[in-house]
Amino acid sequence: MDKEAFLSAIRARLAGLPPEDVERSLDYYREMIDDGIEDGRSEAEAVVALGSPEEAARRILEETPLPSLVKARLKPGRALRVWEIVLLALGSPVWLPLVLTGLLLVALCYLLLVLFLLVFYALTLSAALVALAGVWLAFSQLFQGRLLPALMCLGTGLAAAGLCLLMVLLAKQATRWDLALWRAAGRGLKRLFIRKEDRV
Amino acid sequence: MDNQLKRGLLDVCVLAAIKDQDSYGYQIIKDMKPYVEISESTLYPILRRLEAAGCLTVRSVEHNGRLRKYYRITGSGLRRIADFREDWKEISMIYRFITREEEQDG
């Protein structure tokens, strides 16, 4: 394969991506080939050293953010023919609700993750407030000479403080889990949009 | 090696390749070759990632009538290398512990 054929093959597989991204990646591979030739390789050797254009395109696609991938995948390679438009319109009662439901499910899952975290943060905050209130009340009871109520307030405040510390630890772990889950889901979704033949 | 682990390690390797002086893609791979096998296809996303993370900057330099991209490490990039060296101390202690036990049994 010669230089132009290699670059064209990559360009074909990146169809639909933003043009700056496509050009940037082609510049990179063009530079690699040119530097290889300068280093003494023949054009054919330099191209072979880069592996297959499919592999190159796959790596580029894997690093592309998900929204760009979705846009590229959904963009048709050519203008839609009339009958395709008609078919899409006629079929919309079927695929439109499905797509909307799918989007809704994804949004709900994201909401669940966020709410899960908010519960932890809210509990942490309440425990902190109870701790503060307990200590405050303990002092005010003490100034009024009421020892037993003061001790009760202090005890409650300290217990709440302990609970608050525990909640902070749990909240930190929950946040870490959420972020890991989110990243794994992103990677999984990206795999859906990278064509099987581009995957290794 | 575990894929995720290798990913992070290669990032630091590339930063180390440009630590002392600016370099370009082909040269980076040549420099790494005696130590670590990395393909041109693997290097490209690493460079993009590091640029997005602010660990390196890119500039185009005229060379023999064409443009060549040179990569320069940033403060963040140097910090990444330093963090890795700290992590490595921990890893090597763990390794010593694991292999010390084997020596005692052997």
Side-chain angles (χ1 to χ4, degrees), chain A residues 164-193:
Chain A
C164 177
L165 284 174
L166 180 66
M167 293 308 302
V168 165
L169 288 173
L170 289 178
K172 270 174 77 176
Q173 188 58 42
T175 314
R176 237 173 284 161
W177 277 342
D178 259 15
L179 284 174
L181 216 77
W182 182 241
R183 253 174 294 186
R187 275 199 296 272
L189 277 175
K190 266 200 204 174
R191 291 244 132 82
L192 282 179
F193 286 96

Side-chain angles (χ1 to χ4, degrees), chain A residues 21 24-25 27-32 34-36 38-39 41 49-50 52 55-56 59-60 63 187, chain B residues 4 7 24-26 29-30 40-45 47-49 63-64 66-69 71:
Chain A
D21 289 357
R24 197 189 298 118
S25 43
D27 281 344
Y28 171 84
Y29 283 99
R30 195 177 292 118
E31 187 188 303
M32 278 293 170
D34 289 338
D35 281 333
E38 214 177 276
D39 202 29
R41 293 177 169 159
L50 298 183
S52 71
E55 161 98 21
R59 302 277 186 172
I60 297 167
E63 286 301 315
R187 275 199 296 272
Chain B
Q4 284 294 88
R7 227 163 158 234
Y24 55 99
Y26 190 81
I29 294 188
K30 259 183 114 173
E40 288 79 348
S41 306
T42 314
L43 178 63
Y44 181 67
L47 290 170
R48 298 285 297 135
R49 241 194 338 263
H63 174 88
N64 286 355
R66 58 184 171 97
L67 282 180
R68 192 192 251 168
K69 292 224 171 93
Y71 305 95

